[in-house]
Amino acid sequence: MIVFNKPYCSGRELKYIEEVSHSMTMSGNGDFTKKCHAFFEQKYGFRKCLLTTSGTDALEMCAMLCDLQPGDEVIIPSYTFVSTALAFLREKANVVFADSSAESPNITAEIIEPLITPRTKVIAVVHYAGIACDMDAIMALADKHNLLVVEDAAHAIDSCYKGRPLGSIGHLAAFSFHETKNISCGEGGMLVVNDERFVRRSEIIWEKGTNRAEFYRGMVNKYGWCDLGSSFLPSEFNAAFLWAQLEQLDDIQNKRKHIWEIYDHALRGHVDETKMQLPVLPDYATNNAHMYYIVCQSLDYRTRLMQYLKDNGVQSTFHYIPLHSSKYYAEHFKGAPLVNADRYGDCLVRLPLYYELTGDEARKVAQLILEFAQNN
Ligand SMILES: *Cc1c(COP(=O)(O)O)cnc(C)c1O
């Protein structure tokens, strides 16, 4: 059986976790947390990083920092994970769902612009599959209308837009280290603050509304309650696990890209026969091989393809149910039909892609897809 995902382990995770268990700091913001922060800040030029207990938490911190009033509007793609919407809804904002583009699940400035109203405060983009949205156009639009931009970079570690790391472009960004992401600590995430205005408040929100981080740096002689917040910081055990993965980041990325290329090489030459839409890498984007997906011609075709793969020992999965048509939201949705989001919801399939997957396994999966296409 070729399973859909196997979380990566470098082998040093347990060693570092053991170090934590013998140390005096097991709660958050200890040495491993600081090492992770420094790694990301140096490698990617993020202004400030704060590890969180999940990508969802990082998005919630973004939403809190945006300081929204009830009824303020936040534009997000419909084709995304629930957390992108949840974070803002919890702040009593209204989410306005944008359709995906025809070429990829990403949203574009052209799609966003008509959705902007006097109540719009934030655009939250998702770099789907780790492939960048066209950020220059989106940042220019945000500038023109005085909006904040949050990058949901959950898929997007170690990927770039015009040479700039994803997560470093918007005012705020959120990463995820869930076990399904390129690097993981089981459940984990990270807030990135690029706009200086939010740096101080981000630390306070992270530390239960207190200025404890400043106290530990010796900047104040006692700490206390200053603002809203929550317990967003992960324990040192999580950070130690994550650090073991960061040490192997280049190796992980190279291995994933190798598998991605095998899929792409096998399938790209057959798009005319298979009528499948494959991932597009615009000139401005790099590939971090978070995901290889194919978009089938119909829901029925996808259902049968996934069954065929399963019958032949391969687990594949579909991805999001567009949020505007979800059970929770559908009755509130008043916008125009979102045809591309619906199409990705019905027709997109994700193929197995992880460190331990062998080239032969990937070639077998691609071969099965082509075989199915020939007979259907
Ligand atoms: C994984 C993911 C999240 C949530 O991250 P968690 O760490 O699971 O909370 C948010 N947005 C997107 C696009 C994701 O893929």
Side-chain angles (χ1 to χ4, degrees), residues 33-145:
T33 299
K34 290 188 177 113
K35 268 158 81 160
C36 292
H37 291 169
F39 176 95
F40 289 114
E41 287 166 8
Q42 280 157 23
K43 188 170 169 79
Y44 301 118
F46 300 147
R47 170 69 187 81
K48 176 153 194 82
C49 295
L50 292 171
L51 292 190
T52 56
T53 43
S54 65
T56 304
D57 273 359
L59 284 164
E60 285 179 10
M61 288 185 72
C62 290
M64 290 177 80
L65 287 164
C66 289
D67 212 8
L68 298 162
Q69 303 305 310
D72 283 350
E73 292 171 7
V74 179
I75 297 172
I76 72 167
S78 175
Y79 193 72
T80 180
F81 192 59
V82 278
S83 303
T84 326
L86 273 184
F88 295 103
L89 288 177
R90 286 170 54 103
E91 295 301 302
K92 306 286 177 253
N94 292 335
V95 290
V96 175
F97 289 113
D99 200 6
S100 299
S101 80
E103 291 75 36
S104 84
N106 284 351
I107 59 175
T108 65
E110 293 73 48
I111 297 169
I112 296 165
E113 186 152 32
L115 302 176
I116 295 174
T117 75
R119 302 267 359 219
T120 309
K121 292 285 154 33
V122 182
I123 301 168
V125 299
V126 177
H127 304 295
Y128 188 79
I131 300 173
C133 296
D134 188 353
M135 291 307 288
D136 279 350
I138 291 169
M139 295 308 289
L141 187 63
D143 238 21
K144 181 170 144 196
H145 295 274

Side-chain angles (χ1 to χ4, degrees), residues 40-41 43-47 49 106 125-136 138-139 149-177 190-194 253 281-282 284-290:
F40 289 114
E41 287 166 8
K43 188 170 169 79
Y44 301 118
F46 300 147
R47 170 69 187 81
C49 295
N106 284 351
V125 299
V126 177
H127 304 295
Y128 188 79
I131 300 173
C133 296
D134 188 353
M135 291 307 288
D136 279 350
I138 291 169
M139 295 308 289
V149 173
V150 172
E151 295 178 73
D152 180 339
H155 302 180
I157 194 71
D158 201 49
S159 200
C160 286
Y161 172 78
K162 296 187 180 171
R164 299 161 69 193
L166 298 184
S168 73
I169 302 167
H171 302 85
L172 299 161
F175 286 92
S176 168
F177 307 124
M190 181 170 71
L191 170 75
V192 172
V193 181
N194 296 310
Q253 296 297 81
L281 271 176
Y284 53 69
T286 59
N287 179 22
N288 74 344
H290 173 57

Side-chain angles (χ1 to χ4, degrees), residues 24 54 67 72 148 175 177 215 241 263 295 313 326-327 342:
M24 301 302 285
S54 65
D67 212 8
D72 283 350
L148 294 171
F175 286 92
F177 307 124
F215 171 72
F241 195 100
Y263 281 137
V295 186
S326 62
K327 187 160 177 278
D342 283 337

